[in-house]
Amino acid sequence: MEFVEEFPKNFMWGAATSAYQCEGAALEDGKKENQQDVINRQIHEEYGYADASVTTDHYHHYKEDVALMAEMGFQSYRFSMNWSRILPDGVGEPNPKGVQFYHDLIKELRDHNIEPIVTMWHYDLPMALVEKYGGWRDRQIVDDFEYYARFILNEYKDEVKYWLTINEQSIVVNYIDRKNLISKEDMFNPKFRWQANHYMNLAHAKAAIAAHEIVKDVQVGAALDTAPYYAASSDPKDVMAGKNANAMKNYFYMDAYFKGIYTPSVLAYLKRQGLEFEIQDGDMDIIKKGSENMDFLGINYYQSACMKAPTPGAARRFKQNNKIGKGGKVTYEIQPDFYEGCHNDFLQDTDFSFPIDPDGLQYVLEEINDRYGVPVMICENGFGAYDKLEKDGSIHDPYRIEYIREHIKAMKRAIANGVTIIAYNPWSAFDLLSTSNGIAKRYGFIYVDRTDDEERDCKRYRKDSFYWYQRVIASNGKNLE
Ligand code: BG6
């Protein structure tokens, strides 16, 4: 397959992180708890993984981290702001030290010629709002999200041009127990997920509109988890299941972001299943206006998935990831009368059961471009693995290099087929807390010396992939060897 040799001149190479997964300092300098502080304490009790109190201590190592990113040659860095560090109670009084932390981080990035790309919300709602009204459970969250968005847009408007509103809305809907703190009643109430999704669409739209009002030359997107949902066979029933999954898990979000509508076949399915959500008068106008204020789509791509015709009479089930690594299992999703997930035997899986599929990245990039014709920014892509720190301080991670190399080649093929890609920000700049497998599952180019059991000194080490990525960036993607 033909592909371009190198990337466009203004293409940005960098990497990504999120606040609660790397900052630590969970209760320092005026920050109050967010839902991930609480959720990760539960994960610690259940599985023994580290909690979010220290993680890889970026709050105290940010200067060193930025210097290492600059050494790799980064031109961009995607990170998120920790809402309860900035507004400890969700709304109202800001926390001066928290606000200052992001000014300092951005200054450090700019001093090293690294473009900051800021996610407003990456799973960490302030506990104050969860305690007050249940977070995404209540429509009040839409106004409070807008309040927070306007606050940070005004505060950092001269320093940040690229803004992402919400990280992985589809994942929040699908893994609502791990991305939100909710009652048992909500967890087993599938309707709640779609109502929360509607509130997220409103919150996203209001933030996108505000960004265009407040920030000059702004570029606004949202970061969405994307995957091609292949049919398990050419049996038309399997093909229909694959089509339904693509509509429900990709286009239902993208259609709201870029067309300001809800995908008709998914809306009809939800109604048939008694899962319709409340849309008040004027809501769709806000979502439509939001779509007119979108400049690009951020995509997070790790894996593809496979779908077959659902087992007749099977009950609704949500996907459970492999929680223990090697030997762990995935429980596949079922949407009754719509689709059922299954393993793809053509692909190899990581130790954490993520099927490795670079062609799938090309597939989604071209699908997005053909359907919406918008520029795309890769906001996440990466290989989670057990890395080993050798006695001499080296870390040999050929599997990560191989994974990223093949995904860069997939981007080259997509560019040759007309896709505009603004930046590549793989996950993650340095090691951090995984959402499902603690510190044990590492993604970084920079190794951080700590384990799930021991915090240690969080000393930073360069992995083999660090030097490899440095050469890729220096050649603008030409040299992948
Ligand atoms: C994305 C999230 O879903 O995948 C990140 O935006 C997350 O927060 C990443 O860390 C990898 O998932 P995991 O569970 O391996 O950490």
mmCIF file of all heavy atoms in Angstrom, residues 18 21 122-123 167-168 171 225 300 302 354 380 427 432-437 441 443, ligand 1:
data_model
loop_
_atom_site.group_PDB
_atom_site.id
_atom_site.type_symbol
_atom_site.label_atom_id
_atom_site.label_comp_id
_atom_site.label_asym_id
_atom_site.label_seq_id
_atom_site.Cartn_x
_atom_site.Cartn_y
_atom_site.Cartn_z
ATOM 1 N N SER A 18 -3.124 12.332 31.628
ATOM 2 C CA SER A 18 -4.269 13.011 32.236
ATOM 3 C C SER A 18 -3.935 13.300 33.696
ATOM 4 O O SER A 18 -3.107 12.611 34.301
ATOM 5 C CB SER A 18 -5.544 12.173 32.147
ATOM 6 O OG SER A 18 -5.708 11.374 33.314
ATOM 7 N N GLN A 21 -4.179 10.723 36.657
ATOM 8 C CA GLN A 21 -3.353 9.535 36.439
ATOM 9 C C GLN A 21 -1.868 9.791 36.678
ATOM 10 O O GLN A 21 -1.092 8.848 36.789
ATOM 11 C CB GLN A 21 -3.588 8.987 35.024
ATOM 12 C CG GLN A 21 -4.985 8.415 34.850
ATOM 13 C CD GLN A 21 -5.265 7.920 33.446
ATOM 14 O OE1 GLN A 21 -5.737 8.676 32.600
ATOM 15 N NE2 GLN A 21 -4.968 6.673 33.170
ATOM 16 N N HIS A 122 -11.135 14.892 32.252
ATOM 17 C CA HIS A 122 -10.695 13.520 31.962
ATOM 18 C C HIS A 122 -11.089 12.653 33.169
ATOM 19 O O HIS A 122 -10.246 12.321 34.001
ATOM 20 C CB HIS A 122 -9.182 13.514 31.729
ATOM 21 C CG HIS A 122 -8.647 12.281 31.068
ATOM 22 N ND1 HIS A 122 -7.942 12.288 29.886
ATOM 23 C CD2 HIS A 122 -8.697 10.981 31.427
ATOM 24 C CE1 HIS A 122 -7.580 11.064 29.552
ATOM 25 N NE2 HIS A 122 -8.024 10.242 30.472
ATOM 26 N N TYR A 123 -12.338 12.364 33.294
ATOM 27 C CA TYR A 123 -12.904 11.425 34.288
ATOM 28 C C TYR A 123 -12.920 11.903 35.745
ATOM 29 O O TYR A 123 -13.309 11.119 36.616
ATOM 30 C CB TYR A 123 -12.146 10.088 34.304
ATOM 31 C CG TYR A 123 -12.012 9.346 32.999
ATOM 32 C CD1 TYR A 123 -10.937 8.474 32.808
ATOM 33 C CD2 TYR A 123 -12.948 9.468 31.986
ATOM 34 C CE1 TYR A 123 -10.805 7.751 31.637
ATOM 35 C CE2 TYR A 123 -12.808 8.753 30.812
ATOM 36 C CZ TYR A 123 -11.742 7.897 30.643
ATOM 37 O OH TYR A 123 -11.595 7.180 29.480
ATOM 38 N N ASN A 167 -12.962 13.986 27.667
ATOM 39 C CA ASN A 167 -12.221 12.803 27.232
ATOM 40 C C ASN A 167 -13.125 11.578 27.200
ATOM 41 O O ASN A 167 -13.775 11.245 28.204
ATOM 42 C CB ASN A 167 -11.054 12.517 28.181
ATOM 43 C CG ASN A 167 -10.260 11.294 27.724
ATOM 44 O OD1 ASN A 167 -9.607 11.326 26.681
ATOM 45 N ND2 ASN A 167 -10.344 10.202 28.473
ATOM 46 N N GLU A 168 -13.180 10.943 26.058
ATOM 47 C CA GLU A 168 -13.816 9.630 25.887
ATOM 48 C C GLU A 168 -15.216 9.513 26.469
ATOM 49 O O GLU A 168 -15.486 8.690 27.349
ATOM 50 C CB GLU A 168 -12.916 8.530 26.457
ATOM 51 C CG GLU A 168 -11.636 8.372 25.669
ATOM 52 C CD GLU A 168 -10.874 7.099 26.006
ATOM 53 O OE1 GLU A 168 -11.176 6.465 27.017
ATOM 54 O OE2 GLU A 168 -9.962 6.759 25.238
ATOM 55 N N ILE A 171 -16.629 6.075 26.538
ATOM 56 C CA ILE A 171 -16.108 5.184 27.573
ATOM 57 C C ILE A 171 -16.793 5.503 28.907
ATOM 58 O O ILE A 171 -17.074 4.601 29.706
ATOM 59 C CB ILE A 171 -14.569 5.322 27.665
ATOM 60 C CG1 ILE A 171 -13.928 4.811 26.379
ATOM 61 C CG2 ILE A 171 -14.003 4.616 28.890
ATOM 62 C CD1 ILE A 171 -13.997 3.314 26.157
ATOM 63 N N ASP A 225 -12.841 7.942 22.243
ATOM 64 C CA ASP A 225 -12.316 6.595 22.031
ATOM 65 C C ASP A 225 -12.947 6.064 20.743
ATOM 66 O O ASP A 225 -14.161 6.085 20.590
ATOM 67 C CB ASP A 225 -12.720 5.706 23.211
ATOM 68 C CG ASP A 225 -12.348 4.268 22.978
ATOM 69 O OD1 ASP A 225 -11.161 3.961 23.096
ATOM 70 O OD2 ASP A 225 -13.241 3.456 22.668
ATOM 71 N N ASN A 300 -8.723 8.735 20.314
ATOM 72 C CA ASN A 300 -7.910 7.838 21.120
ATOM 73 C C ASN A 300 -8.088 6.457 20.514
ATOM 74 O O ASN A 300 -9.214 5.954 20.425
ATOM 75 C CB ASN A 300 -8.394 7.815 22.577
ATOM 76 C CG ASN A 300 -8.297 9.186 23.231
ATOM 77 O OD1 ASN A 300 -7.770 10.128 22.644
ATOM 78 N ND2 ASN A 300 -8.790 9.283 24.455
ATOM 79 N N TYR A 302 -6.602 2.475 20.486
ATOM 80 C CA TYR A 302 -5.742 1.422 21.023
ATOM 81 C C TYR A 302 -5.956 0.100 20.313
ATOM 82 O O TYR A 302 -5.042 -0.693 20.180
ATOM 83 C CB TYR A 302 -6.049 1.201 22.517
ATOM 84 C CG TYR A 302 -5.601 2.355 23.384
ATOM 85 C CD1 TYR A 302 -6.453 3.429 23.629
ATOM 86 C CD2 TYR A 302 -4.337 2.371 23.946
ATOM 87 C CE1 TYR A 302 -6.034 4.490 24.415
ATOM 88 C CE2 TYR A 302 -3.909 3.423 24.738
ATOM 89 C CZ TYR A 302 -4.767 4.487 24.965
ATOM 90 O OH TYR A 302 -4.348 5.539 25.734
ATOM 91 N N PHE A 354 -5.753 -6.400 24.809
ATOM 92 C CA PHE A 354 -6.094 -5.407 23.785
ATOM 93 C C PHE A 354 -5.642 -6.000 22.438
ATOM 94 O O PHE A 354 -4.443 -6.225 22.245
ATOM 95 C CB PHE A 354 -5.328 -4.097 23.993
ATOM 96 C CG PHE A 354 -5.867 -3.163 25.048
ATOM 97 C CD1 PHE A 354 -6.552 -3.624 26.161
ATOM 98 C CD2 PHE A 354 -5.664 -1.784 24.930
ATOM 99 C CE1 PHE A 354 -7.025 -2.747 27.128
ATOM 100 C CE2 PHE A 354 -6.138 -0.900 25.892
ATOM 101 C CZ PHE A 354 -6.817 -1.383 26.998
ATOM 102 N N GLU A 380 -4.485 9.846 21.793
ATOM 103 C CA GLU A 380 -3.953 8.709 22.541
ATOM 104 C C GLU A 380 -3.779 7.544 21.575
ATOM 105 O O GLU A 380 -4.563 7.390 20.630
ATOM 106 C CB GLU A 380 -4.907 8.255 23.661
ATOM 107 C CG GLU A 380 -4.990 9.192 24.838
ATOM 108 C CD GLU A 380 -5.904 8.672 25.941
ATOM 109 O OE1 GLU A 380 -5.975 7.451 26.159
ATOM 110 O OE2 GLU A 380 -6.561 9.530 26.568
ATOM 111 N N TRP A 427 -0.080 7.712 24.054
ATOM 112 C CA TRP A 427 -0.209 7.510 25.498
ATOM 113 C C TRP A 427 0.908 6.600 25.921
ATOM 114 O O TRP A 427 0.997 5.490 25.379
ATOM 115 C CB TRP A 427 -1.566 6.860 25.773
ATOM 116 C CG TRP A 427 -1.984 6.820 27.200
ATOM 117 C CD1 TRP A 427 -1.881 5.768 28.060
ATOM 118 C CD2 TRP A 427 -2.606 7.874 27.925
ATOM 119 N NE1 TRP A 427 -2.404 6.103 29.280
ATOM 120 C CE2 TRP A 427 -2.857 7.388 29.226
ATOM 121 C CE3 TRP A 427 -2.968 9.195 27.614
ATOM 122 C CZ2 TRP A 427 -3.459 8.171 30.218
ATOM 123 C CZ3 TRP A 427 -3.565 9.960 28.594
ATOM 124 C CH2 TRP A 427 -3.808 9.447 29.866
ATOM 125 N N LEU A 432 2.353 6.246 34.198
ATOM 126 C CA LEU A 432 1.325 6.813 35.075
ATOM 127 C C LEU A 432 0.376 5.693 35.498
ATOM 128 O O LEU A 432 0.596 4.519 35.163
ATOM 129 C CB LEU A 432 0.582 7.965 34.376
ATOM 130 C CG LEU A 432 0.269 7.840 32.878
ATOM 131 C CD1 LEU A 432 -0.764 6.796 32.621
ATOM 132 C CD2 LEU A 432 -0.162 9.169 32.306
ATOM 133 N N LEU A 433 -0.640 6.069 36.215
ATOM 134 C CA LEU A 433 -1.605 5.095 36.732
ATOM 135 C C LEU A 433 -2.583 4.710 35.614
ATOM 136 O O LEU A 433 -3.267 5.577 35.076
ATOM 137 C CB LEU A 433 -2.369 5.753 37.890
ATOM 138 C CG LEU A 433 -3.364 4.903 38.664
ATOM 139 C CD1 LEU A 433 -2.636 3.852 39.501
ATOM 140 C CD2 LEU A 433 -4.184 5.803 39.593
ATOM 141 N N SER A 434 -2.629 3.418 35.289
ATOM 142 C CA SER A 434 -3.585 2.968 34.277
ATOM 143 C C SER A 434 -5.002 3.063 34.864
ATOM 144 O O SER A 434 -5.173 3.025 36.077
ATOM 145 C CB SER A 434 -3.241 1.527 33.891
ATOM 146 O OG SER A 434 -4.381 0.808 33.531
ATOM 147 N N THR A 435 -6.008 3.168 33.983
ATOM 148 C CA THR A 435 -7.372 3.250 34.529
ATOM 149 C C THR A 435 -7.836 1.892 35.055
ATOM 150 O O THR A 435 -8.702 1.821 35.907
ATOM 151 C CB THR A 435 -8.404 3.730 33.483
ATOM 152 O OG1 THR A 435 -8.464 2.776 32.438
ATOM 153 C CG2 THR A 435 -8.054 5.083 32.918
ATOM 154 N N SER A 436 -7.253 0.810 34.518
ATOM 155 C CA SER A 436 -7.743 -0.501 34.957
ATOM 156 C C SER A 436 -6.685 -1.399 35.579
ATOM 157 O O SER A 436 -7.038 -2.372 36.231
ATOM 158 C CB SER A 436 -8.390 -1.228 33.774
ATOM 159 O OG SER A 436 -7.620 -1.058 32.618
ATOM 160 N N ASN A 437 -5.387 -1.114 35.369
ATOM 161 C CA ASN A 437 -4.369 -2.049 35.843
ATOM 162 C C ASN A 437 -3.211 -1.367 36.572
ATOM 163 O O ASN A 437 -2.046 -1.773 36.425
ATOM 164 C CB ASN A 437 -3.837 -2.879 34.677
ATOM 165 C CG ASN A 437 -4.946 -3.582 33.898
ATOM 166 O OD1 ASN A 437 -5.500 -3.016 32.969
ATOM 167 N ND2 ASN A 437 -5.317 -4.783 34.286
ATOM 168 N N LYS A 441 0.782 -1.750 34.624
ATOM 169 C CA LYS A 441 0.645 -1.640 33.174
ATOM 170 C C LYS A 441 1.190 -0.270 32.769
ATOM 171 O O LYS A 441 0.585 0.758 33.049
ATOM 172 C CB LYS A 441 -0.845 -1.726 32.819
ATOM 173 C CG LYS A 441 -1.156 -1.706 31.347
ATOM 174 C CD LYS A 441 -2.619 -1.360 31.183
ATOM 175 C CE LYS A 441 -3.295 -2.099 30.084
ATOM 176 N NZ LYS A 441 -4.747 -1.830 30.102
ATOM 177 N N TYR A 443 2.783 2.624 30.041
ATOM 178 C CA TYR A 443 2.644 3.097 28.667
ATOM 179 C C TYR A 443 3.736 4.087 28.257
ATOM 180 O O TYR A 443 3.858 4.433 27.098
ATOM 181 C CB TYR A 443 1.310 3.830 28.506
ATOM 182 C CG TYR A 443 0.074 2.973 28.368
ATOM 183 C CD1 TYR A 443 -0.679 2.619 29.474
ATOM 184 C CD2 TYR A 443 -0.365 2.546 27.116
ATOM 185 C CE1 TYR A 443 -1.844 1.852 29.349
ATOM 186 C CE2 TYR A 443 -1.518 1.794 26.972
ATOM 187 C CZ TYR A 443 -2.260 1.454 28.095
ATOM 188 O OH TYR A 443 -3.408 0.703 27.958
HETATM 189 C C1 BG6 B 1 -8.035 5.747 27.536
HETATM 190 C C2 BG6 B 1 -8.068 6.783 28.609
HETATM 191 O O1 BG6 B 1 -9.246 5.079 27.567
HETATM 192 O O2 BG6 B 1 -7.186 4.675 27.654
HETATM 193 C C3 BG6 B 1 -6.830 6.821 29.487
HETATM 194 O O3 BG6 B 1 -8.348 8.059 28.107
HETATM 195 C C4 BG6 B 1 -6.366 5.410 29.771
HETATM 196 O O4 BG6 B 1 -7.157 7.540 30.641
HETATM 197 C C5 BG6 B 1 -6.023 4.741 28.460
HETATM 198 O O5 BG6 B 1 -5.287 5.348 30.663
HETATM 199 C C6 BG6 B 1 -5.497 3.321 28.584
HETATM 200 O O6 BG6 B 1 -6.373 2.535 29.320
HETATM 201 P P1 BG6 B 1 -5.856 1.720 30.569
HETATM 202 O O7 BG6 B 1 -7.047 1.157 31.225
HETATM 203 O O8 BG6 B 1 -4.941 0.709 30.021
HETATM 204 O O9 BG6 B 1 -5.156 2.710 31.442
#
